[in-house]
Every structure is written in structure tokens, then in C-alpha cells.
Amino acid sequence: MKIPQPRGPISTALFSALAVTAGTDDAAAGVEELRRLVTAQLQAATDIIGDDDVQLALFCLYELHYSGLEGVGDEWEWEPGLIQVRHLLERPFEAALRAAAQSAAGELDLPPAAEMTSDAVADVLFGLAATDTGPSVSRYVSKKATLEQLKEFLVHKSVYQLKEADPHTWAIPRLTGRPKAALVEIQADEYGGGRPERMHSALFARTMRGLGMDDHYGAYLDAVPAVSLAAVNMMSLFGLNRRLRGAITGHLAIYEMTSSQPNRLYGNGFRRHGFEAEVTHYFDEHVEADAVHEQIAGRDLAGGLVEAEPELLGDVLFGATAVMAIDGRLSAHLLACWENGETSLRAAVPAAA
């Protein structure tokens, strides 16, 4: 992925540090300056989730563990000083997610975790999904969205969907038994069952091409606001930290439980503008697949994990309610902009490659 434009002092210092060879004196000096800057900037930060500079820096630090950044050596991935900087940014981000998740969850009356069966865990998660009555982007897309708004919608989603399933895959070696098998089953479908053209990321890229858009990963990174980056950074935070393996399973479970009907509406919105299966296949595929995945994710993955490790129930619920909170914030942003006739992006971007 190409290095994006910086959005403030942290991302500017990060990209400057990454411009030299890892392990050199210049690299060490650049990272130390970055660490000092991050420490100072975080003291003044009031909204980590909506902070463009922080979220872009975190996104690019995480990207070193995925496809990497163009012109940046792979040696940077585990450079100790850079990992320390990432931890500095992660701590307040996780705290903000926990606060938002607690607000979204309200008061849950649960039995002791050790007494929770996998079915009981799934029932709690399905109950949470049913309480998600926030602003509905899917209904707006289905009934009202203009062609330009459909393109904006794809821009926001492209930050994750063009690498769909990768953040959750980090959890596979951290699980055992029933939850591990459940996650592998879900991920196998996400990756097309061994057929590259059926990978969900490939289906989404085809949708973008169908609207004349650039389907290269990261092509629209400069255009998306902080909250769109935060939604993806949340997945990477959960997936890359073993201590949060409960959160990544809860994230995936609620993701699957709240996906099928919205994707049906998304597909209808694109059909309303005359697009056919070549464009809508991505959404239509998720209507069917996620109706099956929600049961596996709720009972076998999240429920199976809590049965095996009851102490992780709190983090499973944290992962689920954090999704609801951040998706609700992103949805509110999109709808407020669109209903006022404004762009939801940081800047208007050309739709075609």
C-alpha cells in the first residue's frame, strides 16, 4: 500500500522515521523523536476515535503486519521502538473503545461466566444484536442513496473489505478445539473456499470496478475520516493482541449476526440504480453466507471460547459492543452528511481510477 498523506504531527513524524533503514542510528533517532511527540500529543487529545492523526498513524503501524507500506523495509514490522510507539497509541484507543462499548451495552444481567453454556452466550449476543436500533445506512442505501453516495459508501468500506477477513485470522493460532475449528470454517468461506475469484475481497473489488472505481487496496485511504479508520484499527487491535482474543471473537460474532439483512438492503440499493449481479454479487453472497456464519460464530466460536475460558466472557462482550458503538458512530456520520447534501469523505475524490 502506498504511504498516504500525513494528517498531523504524529503521522508526519512516523512517515519520516520509516523513510530510513530500520536498525540504523538514524532510524533509532527518528523513532525516539516519534515516541516523544506521541507522548506529548496524546496528553492534549480529547477524542482518540475521531482523531485523524492518531487513527492514520495506528492504521499505518498495523499495516506493517499486513501487506506493508510501499518503500518501507519489512524489518520495520518488529522494530522494538516502533512497537513501543504503537502501544502508546493503543492504550488510549482501547480505553476509548471500552468506554464507548460500555455505553452501547448498558446494564447486562448475566449469570456467572462459569455457568454460561455456548447456547447461552449466543443468546446474549443475539439479544445485543437485536437492540442495535441506531441509524441505518442500509435502509438509506436501499431507498434514497444517489449514485455518488453509493460510491462514497464503497470508499468507506474499501479500507477493510479489500482485505476482508485478515484481522480475524490472527486469532486462529490463539484458539484451540471447538472455537478454533469454527473460526477456520468461517474464514475458509471468507477466502473463497480455495478459489481466489470467490474471495470476498475479490468480490468487493469487482463491485468497485463495476462503478468505475479504483479497486487497489488503500487507493482511497486519504479520503476516509478517522472514524472509518478506527473501525478497522479496532479489528487489528483485537486480532494482533493475544490478550484480546475474546474481543476479536465477539467482534466477529456480532459482525456476522448483524450482516445478513443490511447486505440484502445494500444489494437492493445498487439494483435500484440499474446494477446487476456483477456489482451486487458481493452483497448477495453475504446475505446467504452470514445467515449460516452467525450461528457458527455465536455458538461454536464465541460460545465455545467462553465454555473453555469463562474468564474471557467480558472481553467477548466488549468486542461485540465495541462494534455496535463504532458502527453507530460511523453510520451517524454518513447519514448526517448525506441528508444535508454533503460529502461524508474528508475531501471529494474522483470516482474513476
Side-chain angles (χ1 to χ4, degrees):
M1 186 186 78
K2 292 183 179 179
I3 294 180
Q5 293 296 313
R7 301 188 185 182
I10 295 175
S11 49
T12 297
L14 171 63
F15 299 155
S16 177
L18 293 175
V20 302
T21 302
T24 63
D25 290 343
D26 286 344
V31 170
E32 177 57 24
E33 175 60 27
L34 174 62
R35 186 192 63 77
R36 288 196 297 265
L37 180 63
V38 166
T39 301
Q41 291 291 315
L42 288 177
Q43 291 176 351
T46 58
D47 178 17
I48 294 293
I49 292 171
D51 190 310
D52 271 305
D53 195 25
V54 168
Q55 293 301 330
L56 180 64
L58 254 182
F59 184 89
C60 290
L61 286 168
Y62 286 138
E63 194 58 35
L64 296 174
H65 301 287
Y66 291 102
S67 63
L69 297 171
E70 190 173 292
V72 176
D74 289 340
E75 297 81 8
W76 276 109
E77 180 182 5
W78 294 110
E79 201 283 325
L82 206 59
I83 296 297
Q84 183 184 24
V85 168
R86 197 187 89 197
H87 289 169
L88 288 174
L89 294 169
E90 284 180 330
R91 291 185 195 115
F93 180 46
E94 182 179 342
L97 289 174
R98 288 189 180 277
Q102 186 174 10
S103 177
E107 294 295 327
L108 293 175
D109 185 16
L110 302 174
E115 299 176 10
M116 296 276 286
T117 65
S118 59
D119 284 346
V121 172
D123 287 344
V124 170
L125 292 171
F126 276 114
L128 282 172
T131 65
D132 187 7
T133 57
S136 175
V137 171
S138 60
R139 285 196 292 271
Y140 186 95
V141 166
S142 176
K143 300 293 186 181
K144 299 180 180 180
T146 66
L147 180 58
E148 286 307 309
Q149 288 168 345
L150 290 183
K151 292 177 180 179
E152 284 192 15
F153 170 69
L154 295 180
V155 166
H156 287 282
K157 288 181 72 69
S158 69
V159 183
Y160 167 63
Q161 252 65 48
L162 289 175
K163 65 174 179 185
E164 185 169 355
D166 288 352
H168 299 104
T169 299
W170 295 116
I172 292 175
R174 291 159 180 174
L175 304 177
T176 59
R178 182 183 175 193
K180 187 189 193 92
L183 182 53
V184 169
E185 182 177 357
I186 293 170
Q187 296 301 84
D189 283 348
E190 300 289 342
Y191 292 129
R195 295 175 59 182
E197 74 279 4
R198 295 185 61 181
M199 292 174 63
H200 288 183
S201 58
L203 297 181
F204 189 82
R206 187 188 307 166
T207 295
M208 296 188 76
R209 292 195 300 273
L211 272 73
M213 300 175 69
D214 190 338
D215 66 341
H216 290 91
Y217 175 61
Y220 295 104
L221 187 58
D222 287 327
V224 297
V227 65
S228 296
L229 297 178
V232 184
N233 287 340
M234 172 173 57
M235 299 185 215
S236 295
L237 170 69
F238 295 165
L240 283 167
N241 287 279
R242 185 183 182 279
R243 64 182 177 82
L244 293 173
R245 62 194 181 281
I248 194 64
T249 62
H251 183 289
L252 180 57
I254 209 75
Y255 211 73
E256 300 293 344
M257 289 174 177
T258 57
S259 175
S260 185
Q261 180 60 18
N263 274 294
R264 185 187 305 277
L265 294 175
Y266 293 143
N268 289 343
F270 282 82
R271 278 183 283 271
R272 180 169 56 84
H273 282 273
F275 295 105
E276 298 181 351
E278 184 74 8
V279 164
T280 65
H281 186 187
Y282 172 84
F283 304 107
D284 299 337
E285 170 72 14
H286 281 74
V287 172
E288 195 170 319
D290 291 351
V292 176
H293 289 173
E294 66 180 19
Q295 298 295 331
I296 301 170
R299 288 180 166 78
D300 299 317
L301 175 57
L305 180 62
V306 172
E307 279 193 355
E309 301 183 73
E311 68 277 11
L312 296 183
L313 174 62
D315 275 344
V316 169
L317 297 177
F318 163 47
T321 50
V323 175
M324 296 168 61
I326 301 305
D327 281 4
R329 180 165 171 172
L330 176 57
S331 295
H333 167 72
L334 292 176
L335 293 179
C337 292
W338 291 346
E339 288 172 351
N340 288 324
E342 301 171 354
T343 179
S344 62
L345 302 176
R346 296 181 67 243
V349 294

